[in-house]
Amino acid sequence: MEKFTKLTGVAAPMPIVNVDTDMIIPKDYLKTIKRTGLGTGLFAEMRYNDDGSENPDFVLNKSAYRKAQILVAGDNFGCGSSREHAPWALLDFGIRCVISTSFADIFYNNCFKNGVLPITVSPEDLEKLMDDASRGSNATLSIDLEAKEIRGPDGGVVAFDLDDFKRHCMLNGLDDIGLTMEKAGAIASFEKRNAEQRPWA
């Protein structure tokens, strides 16, 4: 998993509450177990018209936000089903960070396992960040995970809190497999000792 330390990128505003995982990646795209290629299906029902053409009114289709790496979203982002394809789709599109006032628990935890940083802020801070994100080509935010700070285009700073363990994993690019592999030496020692003590096993 790619490490997340600092990120400076375009932030797209999505002031919609209760964005569920079916809105993030519709069920039609769940046939694959690959983590790549899902970016085209991200927010498909809002992003495309019935004839398959782009909806020009959708934020990620606007020229200023086509390469957005940060999403500033409404309350209760990621609710609905537990599909891990949701963070896969965000990451495949290029979004590394989602900022909201709250997240659904399963989506929130799935983000950390896939290299997407979900940041929870107060409603007052979200309002400021949503305003920053609404500036089109000037909608650039800087995320410093080490300092736990979000810096706006005018230099304003929003502090956020995060569980130390989750922060450690993101800073070091550790998913569940990476965490296990940190113990590779101890696992190998155990297996060697176990084979010597229980050769019949």
Side-chain angles (χ1 to χ4, degrees):
M1 191 173 79
E2 187 179 347
K3 293 179 181 180
F4 191 114
T5 53
K6 293 182 181 179
L7 171 67
T8 297
V10 171
M14 188 175 284
I16 305 171
V17 299
N18 302 321
V19 171
D20 64 30
T21 51
D22 192 53
M23 292 169 70
I24 297 171
I25 184 71
K27 61 184 180 299
D28 301 350
Y29 295 88
L30 304 187
K31 297 171 185 175
T32 181
I33 56 170
K34 294 181 179 178
R35 300 186 184 200
T36 56
L38 289 168
T40 55
L42 182 68
F43 300 117
E45 292 178 358
M46 293 186 285
R47 201 166 142 204
Y48 304 111
N49 296 314
D50 291 341
D51 63 1
S53 62
E54 288 188 349
N55 171 9
D57 295 325
F58 183 65
V59 62
L60 295 180
N61 290 336
K62 296 180 179 179
S63 58
Y65 300 109
R66 282 186 177 273
K67 294 185 178 179
Q69 292 180 280
I70 301 164
L71 199 61
V72 182
D75 191 53
N76 196 30
F77 190 87
C79 56
S81 73
S82 60
R83 64 191 69 171
E84 198 168 3
H85 293 67
W88 292 355
L90 288 164
L91 191 62
D92 193 60
F93 180 86
I95 292 172
R96 297 283 326 273
C97 177
V98 182
I99 304 169
S100 179
T101 47
S102 71
F103 295 90
D105 285 345
I106 294 175
F107 172 82
Y108 183 77
N109 288 309
N110 279 341
C111 281
F112 289 104
K113 296 174 188 292
N114 289 284
V116 177
L117 177 64
I119 297 176
T120 305
V121 296
S122 69
E124 295 76 22
D125 285 336
L126 187 75
E127 189 176 346
K128 295 175 195 170
L129 295 168
M130 195 71 75
D131 181 62
D132 288 337
S134 300
R135 298 185 184 193
S137 58
N138 294 320
T140 300
L141 296 179
S142 294
I143 315 292
D144 186 334
L145 182 54
E146 185 71 48
K148 295 188 288 188
E149 290 180 346
I150 306 167
R151 196 169 295 275
D154 295 331
V157 176
V158 170
F160 64 91
D161 199 14
L162 187 63
D163 174 82
D164 287 341
F165 176 71
K166 287 182 168 62
R167 182 162 154 266
H168 167 79
C169 290
M170 291 295 287
L171 286 170
N172 293 281
L174 298 171
D175 57 11
D176 287 349
I177 294 172
L179 283 167
T180 301
M181 293 309 296
E182 282 194 317
K183 307 292 185 184
I187 293 169
S189 295
F190 169 80
E191 289 179 341
K192 183 175 183 294
R193 186 172 63 254
N194 189 58
E196 291 168 353
Q197 294 174 351
R198 303 172 62 208
W200 61 87

